[in-house]
Amino acid sequence: DAGVTQSPTHLIKTRGQHVTLRCSPISGHKSVSWYQQVLGQGPQFIFQYYEKEERGRGNFPDRFSARQFPNYSSELNVNALLLGDSALYLCASSPSGGGPQPQHFGDGTRLSIL
Amino acid sequence: GQQVMQIPQYQHVQEGEDFTTYCNSSTTLSNIQWYKQRPGGHPVFLIQLVKSGEVKKQKRLTFQFGEAKKNSSLHITATQTTDVGTYFCSKTSYDKVIFGPGTSLSVIP
């Protein structure tokens, strides 16, 4: 069975642009979460979506938004990119949205802002 | 307030030596999860602890949850080069998942 898949694997953008990152969860998983990981730090929680609704939000500005589709895949959008948005963006899926569950991570999208 | 702390930040051990990383919270934890991230890879789930004083073992790895549910530890017996990576603890709080800063383990062959 395929794991969590993310696209693209790498992306280079310039300041002020916007970006869309995509994630497909493990088959049967209905919850998707997004994380930002800066080199040398732990993943920082951005959003959790379950059944197409936002279930949790981290301390990120409104430039960050996300959505989940009927097939449970998800997109993370970031507007007005800043240099500080350069990071590895990880998507994780879990079977449901209820209570603490193991997060199954994809390989991430490496975003570089010039 | 909601953070989890981990010590040490880095640990270099000789292959065969033991290794322990500690995770601490100022507030009571309903649960704690441990993940391992190899260099260049993504975090991989290891275990979840939910009960006070709980101890779980996976081969050479031993996980403990403190009696007061404010701390946890991961102990590796007789480290191997395959244990290299960063070990993160995380907690779920009000629909947010909070990861610690991690302990980076290097194993010298």
Side-chain angles (χ1 to χ4, degrees):
Chain A
D1 287 343
V4 176
T5 58
Q6 292 186 243
S7 64
T9 55
H10 295 83
L11 201 52
I12 299 174
K13 292 284 189 178
T14 57
R15 284 179 296 174
Q17 287 187 311
H18 70 272
V19 68
T20 299
L21 310 180
R22 296 177 175 83
C23 171
S24 292
I26 291 173
S27 178
H29 284 194
K30 298 181 178 180
S31 177
V32 169
S33 297
W34 288 94
Y35 298 83
Q36 180 195 66
Q37 187 174 30
V38 175
L39 192 63
Q41 297 182 17
Q44 298 297 308
F45 176 73
I46 309 176
F47 289 111
Q48 183 197 24
Y49 274 78
Y50 174 64
E51 292 286 10
K52 295 173 290 181
E53 291 197 359
E54 182 183 301
R55 292 291 295 270
R57 172 186 284 257
N59 297 324
F60 280 81
D62 293 342
R63 300 185 295 109
F64 289 76
S65 64
R67 55 180 176 169
Q68 187 178 32
F69 299 99
N71 65 353
Y72 303 110
S73 67
S74 178
E75 286 182 353
L76 175 69
N77 296 283
V78 187
N79 293 323
L81 288 166
L82 304 174
L83 293 178
D85 295 331
S86 295
L88 178 67
Y89 287 85
L90 294 162
C91 172
S93 74
S94 56
S96 71
Q101 299 192 11
Q103 302 281 294
H104 300 266
F105 285 86
D107 289 335
T109 294
R110 176 75 60 186
L111 177 63
S112 299
I113 311 301
L114 304 179
Chain B
Q2 294 186 19
Q3 290 183 339
V4 288
M5 304 306 296
Q6 283 187 254
I7 54 171
Q9 185 177 3
Y10 301 97
Q11 185 81 56
H12 306 277
V13 300
Q14 201 77 32
E15 188 173 18
E17 291 182 338
D18 292 355
F19 160 77
T20 303
T21 174
Y22 300 91
C23 179
N24 299 294
S25 173
S26 58
T27 58
T28 301
L29 302 166
S30 60
N31 66 89
I32 197 86
Q33 296 181 349
W34 285 93
Y35 293 80
K36 175 185 178 182
Q37 186 173 21
R38 294 180 185 270
H42 57 265
V44 174
F45 173 78
L46 296 176
I47 205 126
Q48 177 170 285
L49 305 171
V50 296
K51 297 179 182 177
S52 168
E54 189 171 14
V55 178
K56 288 188 176 180
K57 293 189 176 184
Q58 291 179 351
K59 297 182 181 178
R60 296 179 294 104
L61 277 61
T62 302
F63 303 85
Q64 287 190 312
F65 203 4
E67 294 289 343
K69 299 184 75 174
K70 288 188 175 182
N71 56 74
S72 179
S73 66
L74 159 58
H75 179 83
I76 302 178
T77 303
T79 54
Q80 300 175 359
T81 54
T82 54
D83 296 325
V84 166
T86 302
Y87 293 84
F88 295 99
C89 64
S90 76
K91 70 173 186 178
T92 301
S93 177
Y94 300 104
D95 288 332
K96 293 184 181 181
V97 180
I98 299 169
F99 277 78
T103 295
S104 181
L105 172 65
S106 299
V107 179
I108 306 165

